[in-house]
Amino acid sequence: MYQFSGKLKTFSLALIIFGVVGIAFSFYSGSQKTIEDAKHAIEASNSDAHGGAHGETAAPHGEAVNHDTHAEKTDKEAHASMIEAHSEVDAVHGNSHDNEHAEHVLHQLQNRPWSAFYVALFFSLGITLLVLAFYAIQRVAQVGWSVVILRVMEAITANLLPVSIIMALVVIASVMHLNHLFPWMAEGTVDPTSDNYDPIVDGKSWWMNSTGFLLRSIAYLLIWNAYRFFIRRSSIKEDTANDGNKTYKKNYNASVIFLFLFMITESMMSWDWIMGLDPHWFSTLFGWYVLASLLVSALTVIAFFTIYLRAKGALPHVNDSHIHDLAKFMFGFSVFWTYLWFSQFMLIWYADIPEETTYFVARFTEYKLPFLGMVVMNFVFPILLLLNSDFKSKPWFVFIGGFVILAGHYMDVFIMVMPSTVGAQWYIGIPEISALCFFIGLFIYTTLNAFSKVSPIPKGNPFLEESKHFHYYNIEHSGEESGDH
Amino acid sequence: MSHYEAPIREPLVLGDKSYHDITEDIARPIEGAANKNWYIAFYISLAAMLWGFGCIFYTVGTGIGVWGLNKNIGWAWDITNFVWWVGIGHAGTLISAVLLLFRQKWRMAINRSAEAMTIFAVFQAGLFPIIHMGRPWNAYWVLPLPNQFGSLWVNFNSPLLWDVFAISTYLSVSLVFWWTGLLPDFAMIRDRAVKPFQKKIYALLSFGWSGRAKDWQRFEEVSLVLAGLATPLVLSVHTIVSMDFATSINPGWHSTIFPPYFVAGAIFSGFAMVQTLLGIMRKVTNMEDYITRMHIEYMNIVIILTGGIVAVAYATEFFIAWYTGSPYENYTYLSVGAATGPYKWAFWSLIIFNIITPQLLWIKKFRRSFIITFIISIAINIGMWFERFDIIAIVLSKGHLPSTWWRFEPTFVDVGIFIGTIGFFFVLFLLYARTFPVIAQAEVKTILKSSGEFYKKRSEQGIPTKPAIVVLKSGNKKKDSDNNLNG
């Protein structure tokens, strides 16, 4: 049995408390933003645009890309001539436009604490969900090598319930108009008499309506949590079942059903929770792209906890071959993520259909460094670091690779969310860091707490012996006393 | 203990087989004479092939106008068949490369034939990019060769050019991968051959393989590296094929999900073809002990999985087409327009053969049944042909401008060429089944003692089967009794 050390408990609680304080502060300062602040922000980015190094990242244009309810044509022209176009529009519309514009920037400023929280929340929820899915895959595929780390995966999924509750609260808050995260939820978007009327959103109102959004969100969370609740209980029962693999088979069937539902809910979840932030944009690949990003991160988190718990002696049967396999998965799915990222990007870039291209124009103009940096972190780095077979079995190497991968995929989620909600008003500061701290603290606490509750070895699994004796042929197991492999 | 296998796993080699039995079973079709049925099948295929070649010569000699294409639908059966054949080829690489990376032992009995299928399917696919050209004699212009036109080069922006690189690389790598795996097996046939001519041929084919430890070590490493390279290759090849459509601006073609969705569809249809072929082959070559019910069931599970992915992709296409709010999307592939338009029969064939029929495989009894598997695999092959036809023809038949709306009717030449490629494929496959070891004996022998029925039973009863040779303290070598079984 693993003992959750007091030090680490304190550390994770400290992260949570620090996070809560930071989040509270960012919400407080975010809610204090006034129209004056917005005007300052516009001025600052305009002066930047004319003289500064951030010339091409000037605020108003990207903002126009995402949020203007003007026809696409106007958008397109605005990109084409960038700053000039904007100042012309300014000149024509004069003061009233200025105010409208300022109100828009104000919403972005007020969105920032929400978005920062939402990015970290979605990342945390997504990772936990994908660990659950990977765990289900291990059961369905009757995997022989990973049985000794099944309990690690199970423990990580303990995070699912708290983050699901937080997600449900955020969804409810959005529906109650406490934030401006989802532009389609704004007042009057489906009312033809309103100034805010958006015919595109109106056309989708069968899908994009608050009731449906709320019900679907709750349904996804319930389905995932139901499986997690069942499988955790049943997996512990498996240890002592001794019923000729009856419990094992029941768990197998439950995992098949979960994976079936997961494939559907995951796509829908990504349309609702992420693609819906940009109600005018769409991409058929999006669901799977989000899946790939979260899957890599989930594998990395599994590897991290496995390495940590093994170092603490809590996983007696995990050897270098297991680490090697995890690192191989991290490597392989990093490439897979890149494949999907590139497919989506390249196809949209190639066809250059305005209504789709806006998505990448916004990201390319305002988020150039994180957008391109993320590709380096998520592809180039893991490719170079984790290609070598020897490196993949070295925990500290996997740790470095994994750290970059996690940071890269945080950036990925950041870039999916931020351009749509805060536009050019992005920055990595207290709101982002404190939200991240909160969820990391929660992650560590729930995982290790759950891991310390039950035996780390799933005794009842029929493949346990295979996993104990797992030895990948060219891996030299270092620093292990046991000689049974 | 590294070869420990859980007793819950079903055996992969049935019967009381020794190493020698495996050799005998696999060499038998090569060493024996062909029977009447083989000749009948061969001549039918040959006739179909020759008919297809006739149609090809007719097309090239007369012009593409002999096909049913028109000025709006410039691609129909040609590219449909191309994508269909490339897709079929993907299962072979998936079985030999991806399943190798995932350490799936059951791949060993089927990988040889699946790879052969890949190569023969890519041959068929490779015909279409050439013969659908208006001026196929200028086909070499697609290659970036220095030339006398002031070094006039190709434009690297076209997915059709990427196709050239993708398909040719795919064929080369698959061929090398397949041939490397064949070396120990050809050497086995060479060593058994009694006729001098046969011995000479297999001596040439086996490249002097002598099976030393160092050779085997490098053989394994090469296989692993090639598997690691072939996996991204298999994904990228069909991705590039999908980009022929997805890079365009046609509604129904321009869709970012196409790359992974085509790949999933390729695996889906490829596995269906493997089921069709192996369902027959295991019977006629008496390989029932190696290609067991378990293998069929595993392949059916892959079919359910990839079929499920394809179904999710259909649903996504359908949803996003509506979600775009674009009125054009409503006339195209997988839309209300497609389900009710003039091609509704093709659309519903796709839904019935591809999505509904394979769901029967959820039932364990069905996915372990050879007959039902065979029928469903045929249905999937038909369904996946319709998938490509629907994507291509329905989209082109109703473009942005109503004045360009047109129908496509195939001519006998379109059909004839397709039948010809099926004939050509079976000619190659039938010749292969008579001259090549259809199961990788060297690989199956590595799992005999861990996954063979006989050995699994013994280890369950606690009778030691390993190590084969026990070195006693006195230094005497004592042969374990089990080892006598192995010839």
Side-chain angles (χ1 to χ4, degrees):
Chain A
M1 287 286 267
Y2 166 75
Q3 186 84 37
F4 190 0
S5 79
K7 250 188 210 164
L8 203 60
K9 203 176 265 178
T10 319
F11 174 69
S12 57
L13 289 174
L15 275 179
I16 293 174
I17 291 165
F18 174 79
V20 169
V21 172
I23 292 164
F25 170 75
S26 8
F27 273 99
Y28 172 74
S29 65
S31 67
Q32 296 302 301
K33 295 274 188 249
T34 61
I35 207 95
E36 292 309 310
D37 294 317
K39 284 180 176 162
H40 282 308
I42 297 166
E43 240 168 61
S45 61
N46 275 351
S47 61
D48 252 3
H50 291 297
H54 298 289
E56 68 283 6
T57 67
H61 318 292
E63 173 267 313
V65 171
N66 286 306
H67 297 285
D68 262 3
T69 48
H70 298 323
E72 271 119 26
K73 231 180 188 170
T74 323
D75 267 1
K76 187 72 178 148
E77 282 161 11
H79 306 311
S81 48
M82 299 291 268
I83 292 156
E84 290 75 15
H86 183 257
S87 44
E88 267 168 44
V89 172
D90 255 2
V92 175
H93 289 283
N95 218 19
S96 76
H97 179 86
D98 259 0
N99 278 339
E100 223 174 82
H101 185 63
E103 193 191 326
H104 203 90
V105 174
L106 175 65
H107 282 176
Q108 296 187 330
L109 289 171
Q110 287 170 341
N111 261 345
R112 198 173 145 219
W114 282 98
S115 310
F117 187 74
Y118 192 69
V119 170
L121 167 64
F122 182 79
F123 195 46
S124 176
L125 173 60
I127 288 176
T128 317
L129 175 65
L130 263 293
V131 172
L132 189 66
F134 189 71
Y135 171 84
I137 291 169
Q138 302 304 295
R139 281 193 174 275
V140 171
Q142 307 191 319
V143 175
W145 67 274
S146 66
V147 177
V148 293
I149 55 168
L150 281 186
R151 279 285 141 83
V152 180
M153 298 182 210
E154 251 170 46
I156 294 172
T157 58
N159 190 41
L160 189 63
L161 186 63
V163 284
S164 296
I165 292 169
I166 299 171
M167 189 64 177
L169 292 175
V170 170
V171 165
I172 290 167
S174 305
V175 171
M176 289 170 66
H177 302 290
L178 295 178
N179 57 43
H180 308 281
L181 284 181
F182 295 90
W184 58 267
M185 283 181 190
E187 293 291 345
T189 48
V190 292
D191 175 11
T193 59
S194 162
D195 285 346
N196 250 343
Y197 180 65
D198 184 339
I200 296 177
V201 169
D202 195 19
K204 303 178 186 187
S205 58
W206 180 78
W207 174 264
M208 282 185 161
N209 59 74
S210 296
T211 326
F213 179 79
L214 189 65
L215 291 178
R216 284 193 304 270
S217 301
I218 303 283
Y220 312 145
L221 296 171
L222 282 180
I223 290 169
W224 304 334
N225 278 289
Y227 171 70
R228 144 76 201 173
F229 177 76
F230 169 80
I231 202 77
R232 170 71 167 178
R233 217 181 42 172
S234 192
S235 167
I236 293 166
K237 215 167 88 190
E238 204 177 272
D239 283 1
T240 51
N242 238 339
D243 53 0
N245 291 329
K246 229 179 228 155
T247 314
Y248 168 79
K249 277 176 191 148
K250 211 163 82 187
N251 293 345
Y252 174 92
N253 290 335
S255 305
V256 172
I257 294 166
F258 168 71
L259 284 176
F260 178 83
L261 293 173
F262 168 79
M263 259 171 80
I264 297 163
T265 51
E266 193 278 336
S267 283
M268 289 169 71
M269 163 279 267
S270 68
W271 300 334
D272 264 332
W273 292 347
I274 304 287
M275 210 161 84
L277 297 166
D278 271 296
H280 290 188
W281 183 76
F282 48 84
S283 166
T284 39
L285 181 57
F286 199 71
W288 294 351
Y289 169 67
V290 171
L291 175 97
S293 187
L294 298 176
L295 179 56
V296 185
S297 315
L299 290 162
T300 310
V301 168
I302 296 171
F304 274 15
F305 277 109
T306 307
I307 289 170
Y308 171 76
L309 291 168
R310 182 174 80 145
K312 291 283 160 205
L315 290 168
H317 298 298
V318 173
N319 58 42
D320 285 355
S321 288
H322 294 101
I323 306 291
H324 184 263
D325 261 24
L326 281 170
K328 245 192 294 191
F329 269 114
M330 284 160 62
F331 169 81
F333 281 102
S334 286
V335 179
F336 183 70
W337 172 86
T338 316
Y339 161 63
L340 293 186
W341 174 83
F342 181 74
S343 296
Q344 180 167 279
F345 174 73
M346 193 277 275
L347 289 177
I348 288 174
W349 167 81
Y350 193 109
D352 203 17
I353 298 170
E355 52 196 290
E356 292 179 9
T357 308
T358 53
Y359 184 82
F360 286 112
V361 169
R363 278 147 185 86
F364 225 87
T365 50
E366 290 163 358
Y367 291 75
K368 193 167 253 161
L369 182 68
F371 183 75
L372 296 173
M374 152 191 107
V375 182
V376 175
M377 289 198 280
N378 294 343
F379 176 59
V380 182
F381 205 82
I383 266 265
L384 296 178
L385 211 62
L386 295 176
L387 189 60
N388 186 309
S389 193
D390 294 335
F391 293 176
K392 280 198 282 279
S393 57
K394 298 278 172 288
W396 64 277
F397 240 101
V398 177
F399 184 80
I400 296 174
F403 186 78
V404 176
I405 289 174
L406 278 183
H409 286 283
Y410 172 79
M411 258 2 268
D412 190 12
V413 178
F414 189 84
I415 286 165
M416 287 181 208
V417 173
M418 287 292 182
S420 326
T421 55
V422 305
Q425 315 303 325
W426 73 276
Y427 193 73
I428 295 191
I430 292 173
E432 287 77 12
I433 292 168
S434 52
L436 208 51
C437 284
F438 173 75
F439 284 104
I440 292 173
L442 191 65
F443 218 114
I444 295 174
Y445 184 82
T446 50
T447 302
L448 296 182
N449 187 45
F451 191 75
S452 66
K453 291 274 163 66
V454 292
S455 154
I457 299 154
K459 283 185 224 58
N461 194 303
F463 298 107
L464 179 64
E465 283 302 312
E466 267 187 35
S467 183
K468 277 184 185 172
H469 296 113
F470 171 58
H471 190 160
Y472 190 63
Y473 80 102
N474 64 353
I475 297 301
E476 280 181 40
H477 291 186
S478 56
E480 287 161 24
E481 287 88 6
S482 62
D484 61 356
H485 40 255
Chain B
M1 284 295 277
S2 58
H3 289 293
Y4 177 83
E5 189 173 287
I8 192 175
R9 294 200 194 276
E10 285 190 46
L12 295 172
V13 181
L14 298 183
D16 175 10
K17 296 277 181 210
S18 66
Y19 289 142
H20 184 64
D21 292 337
I22 297 178
T23 307
E24 286 286 334
D25 289 343
I26 292 167
R28 194 174 305 120
I30 305 170
E31 290 168 349
N35 61 15
K36 208 167 102 193
N37 288 339
W38 186 89
Y39 278 106
I40 293 171
F42 182 76
Y43 283 128
I44 291 172
S45 309
L46 193 68
M49 177 183 119
L50 292 175
W51 169 252
F53 279 176
C55 288
I56 291 173
F57 289 134
Y58 177 56
T59 305
V60 174
T62 315
I64 287 292
V66 299
W67 291 0
L69 302 174
N70 51 59
K71 70 183 170 61
N72 301 316
I73 304 174
W75 276 355
W77 275 55
D78 47 352
I79 301 299
T80 300
N81 298 336
F82 165 70
V83 182
W84 189 72
W85 277 117
V86 177
I88 283 175
H90 277 55
T93 317
L94 188 98
I95 288 169
S96 52
V98 179
L99 297 185
L100 174 75
L101 295 184
F102 283 110
R103 300 192 289 262
Q104 298 296 304
K105 289 178 181 175
W106 58 275
R107 79 172 201 288
M108 290 176 179
I110 53 173
N111 60 359
R112 176 67 42 74
S113 297
E115 284 171 56
M117 187 197 76
T118 292
I119 287 156
F120 304 147
V122 175
F123 276 164
Q124 310 314 320
L127 285 172
F128 288 100
I130 310 279
I131 61 173
H132 91 307
M133 288 180 176
R135 296 178 183 82
W137 47 89
N138 284 339
Y140 69 98
W141 286 5
V142 303
L143 303 174
L145 301 170
N147 53 57
Q148 292 174 328
F149 302 107
S151 247
L152 183 67
W153 268 36
V154 287
N155 183 344
F156 286 99
N157 291 333
S158 166
L160 298 181
L161 182 68
W162 308 340
D163 268 348
V164 174
F165 301 134
I167 302 295
S168 54
T169 312
Y170 186 53
L171 181 62
S172 330
V173 173
S174 302
L175 204 57
V176 171
F177 198 9
W178 186 51
W179 207 275
T180 319
L182 275 162
L183 294 179
D185 290 12
F186 278 146
M188 178 271 280
I189 305 287
R190 170 200 68 197
D191 295 345
R192 290 170 53 94
V194 281
K195 294 176 215 146
F197 177 70
Q198 202 185 27
K199 198 164 193 87
K200 193 154 202 154
I201 294 291
Y202 285 100
L204 275 172
L205 294 178
S206 62
F207 295 178
W209 176 265
S210 56
R212 289 168 302 182
K214 200 74 199 166
D215 298 347
W216 276 116
Q217 186 222 332
R218 288 181 176 144
F219 176 90
E220 298 263 311
E221 300 240 326
V222 164
S223 305
L224 202 59
V225 169
L226 280 178
L229 289 173
T231 303
L233 194 62
V234 77
L235 262 79
S236 68
V237 169
H238 220 67
T239 290
I240 286 169
V241 169
S242 81
M243 284 173 181
D244 294 349
F245 311 103
T247 52
S248 75
I249 54 164
N250 293 353
W253 279 9
H254 180 71
S255 173
T256 50
I257 208 170
F258 268 31
Y261 147 62
F262 265 54
V263 173
I267 298 164
F268 182 54
S269 68
F271 264 84
M273 192 58 129
V274 176
Q275 292 279 39
T276 313
L277 293 176
L278 291 190
I280 302 168
M281 202 186 80
R282 63 186 290 283
K283 266 257 168 311
V284 297
T285 59
N286 296 315
M287 298 292 180
E288 283 107 330
D289 287 340
Y290 303 99
I291 301 164
T292 66
R293 235 173 245 287
M294 199 65 237
H295 291 85
I296 303 294
E297 185 178 8
Y298 279 145
M299 286 196 277
N300 278 332
I301 289 173
V302 176
I303 287 175
I304 299 175
L305 173 69
T306 48
I309 294 173
V310 170
V312 170
Y314 289 158
T316 306
E317 283 271 329
F318 193 87
F319 172 75
I320 300 285
W322 168 80
Y323 184 87
T324 59
S326 158
Y328 298 110
E329 293 281 356
N330 198 25
Y331 285 103
T332 53
Y333 159 69
L334 264 192
S335 64
V336 183
T340 54
Y343 285 104
K344 60 172 181 252
W345 51 275
F347 174 84
W348 289 109
S349 307
L350 159 84
I351 301 294
I352 290 165
F353 290 127
N354 247 4
I355 303 185
I356 297 171
T357 328
Q359 303 312 320
L360 291 175
L361 295 174
W362 282 101
I363 301 160
K364 186 161 181 145
K365 219 169 120 190
F366 288 174
R367 66 171 182 262
R368 286 181 80 92
S369 150
F370 295 115
I371 295 292
I372 289 173
T373 298
F374 186 75
I375 293 167
I376 290 177
S377 73
I378 300 274
I380 294 170
N381 283 322
I382 298 170
M384 287 304 290
W385 191 88
F386 274 113
E387 182 196 297
R388 280 67 183 251
F389 179 76
D390 288 359
I391 290 174
I392 294 166
I394 295 182
V395 169
L396 290 178
S397 70
K398 282 197 171 170
H400 283 106
L401 284 176
S403 61
T404 65
W405 290 2
W406 206 252
R407 294 274 308 272
F408 169 79
E409 300 287 345
T411 65
F412 81 94
V413 191
D414 285 301
V415 182
I417 292 175
F418 181 48
I419 291 172
T421 55
I422 293 174
F424 191 9
F425 176 79
F426 278 103
V427 164
L428 291 169
F429 199 84
L430 285 165
L431 286 173
Y432 150 83
R434 300 272 320 117
T435 49
F436 281 52
V438 291
I439 288 178
Q441 53 95 22
E443 294 211 57
V444 171
K445 283 174 184 173
T446 64
I447 57 163
L448 177 66
K449 288 196 170 177
S450 63
S451 308
E453 191 186 23
F454 175 72
Y455 287 92
K456 272 183 91 74
K457 257 190 209 139
R458 301 205 103 194
S459 68
E460 268 166 58
Q461 290 159 359
I463 307 167
T465 54
K466 273 177 288 214
I469 295 168
V470 179
V471 183
L472 296 177
K473 266 191 184 152
S474 59
N476 297 339
K477 280 187 184 170
K478 182 196 150 221
K479 273 203 144 186
D480 193 273
S481 58
D482 290 324
N483 205 40
N484 295 335
L485 291 167
N486 307 317

